[in-house]
Amino acid sequence: MNILAPPRARLQIEVVFDLVCPWCYLGTHRLRRALRNRPDVAADLVWRPFLLNPDIAPGGVPRQDYMLRKFGGEERSRRLHATIAEIGRSEGLVFAFDRIRRIPPSVDAHRLVRFADRQGLADAAVKALFEGYFRDGLDIGDHGVLAEIAGALGMDVAAVARLLAGQQETEAVHADNLRAHRLGINGVPCFVVQGRHAIAGAQEPEVLERLLDVALVES
């Protein structure tokens, strides 16, 4: 330990996000990059669920049907996904939209993140869920898939299965989603630093670092 090193400033960063949002995958990746660039900051990440599709059926919907309803056709969604995939490649992220067959509800995946948080594994769980969905095309609405992802993180698979079979954390996920809307958050990702300074969108790391600087001055 270097006793001459200045103490690290500690900041709380609330990340409002959805696990089926490609911009959230990109945005959280960029947040991690920004934090790696700032060894002077010790960040406490708080993952706050936002449900982009709160009314989606429990088993999800076929991707083609969802894209038709959301974008009016496959061609428009294909162009958008090509743009996201190109940005992702520049960041070292893989977006394999063609592997996604169904758009799942994300409540259970958010429940898993909350459960993982009790074991200090929330950050790892978010990363694994994003990779599983956007890179591997896994159905993160499927309980078996979620348990397998949790197991790969070293979590107790049986405990995860029990969690998912019941309603534990469901109310908390919906409460956080409602809280976000009441705060005026209508797009994700959204990053809230120290409960006061917020910015939405998959911002470049340099922009996020400036937000940290503002929070540090006022903390």
Side-chain angles (χ1 to χ4, degrees):
M1 179 178 178
N2 183 0
I3 61 173
L4 299 179
R8 300 172 73 196
R10 184 166 292 278
L11 294 176
Q12 183 195 73
I13 304 176
E14 293 180 74
V15 184
V16 186
F17 75 114
D18 199 357
L19 288 153
V20 295
C21 167
W23 296 111
C24 292
Y25 184 19
L26 178 63
T28 55
H29 176 79
R30 286 175 167 175
L31 173 64
R32 289 186 174 98
R33 277 182 54 201
L35 293 174
R36 285 197 298 271
N37 293 339
R38 296 298 299 268
D40 58 311
V41 174
D44 295 319
L45 299 184
V46 180
W47 300 97
R48 300 286 192 191
F50 186 96
L51 303 177
L52 286 171
N53 307 303
D55 302 320
I56 204 164
V61 297
R63 177 176 174 269
Q64 190 171 8
D65 294 350
Y66 178 85
M67 293 304 163
L68 178 63
R69 187 171 69 247
K70 188 174 180 67
F71 298 108
E74 187 72 22
E75 183 57 35
R76 186 180 172 198
S77 67
R78 189 179 293 114
R79 290 197 302 269
L80 175 62
H81 288 165
T83 299
I84 297 172
E86 184 177 349
I87 297 172
R89 279 192 293 273
S90 70
E91 297 276 350
L93 300 179
V94 175
F95 286 92
F97 291 105
D98 58 316
R99 294 182 180 176
I100 299 173
R101 294 289 176 256
R102 299 184 69 80
I103 306 299
S106 57
V107 172
D108 287 339
H110 282 298
R111 291 169 64 205
L112 176 59
V113 172
R114 293 181 66 88
F115 191 59
D117 187 49
R118 300 178 194 170
Q119 301 166 52
L121 293 172
D123 296 2
V126 169
K127 185 173 184 291
L129 287 162
F130 272 135
E131 289 176 349
Y133 184 61
F134 288 109
R135 184 190 66 192
D136 304 327
L138 300 179
D139 182 356
I140 59 169
D142 181 272
H143 290 183
V145 169
L146 292 175
E148 187 173 341
I149 290 173
L153 297 175
M155 298 176 66
D156 184 328
V157 173
V160 170
R162 288 194 297 272
L163 167 85
L164 296 173
Q167 292 300 311
Q168 186 180 354
E169 302 292 354
T170 301
E171 186 176 338
V173 169
H174 285 289
D176 267 347
N177 178 60
L178 181 60
R179 172 180 176 269
H181 285 282
R182 285 177 171 167
L183 289 174
I185 297 172
N186 51 29
V188 287
C190 184
F191 307 101
V192 185
V193 183
Q194 295 293 90
R196 297 191 300 275
H197 311 283
I199 192 168
Q203 302 290 340
E204 294 283 354
E206 295 77 13
V207 176
L208 294 172
E209 287 186 59
R210 287 198 292 272
L211 182 66
L212 297 180
D213 287 332
V214 171
L216 287 170
V217 168
E218 297 187 11
S219 62

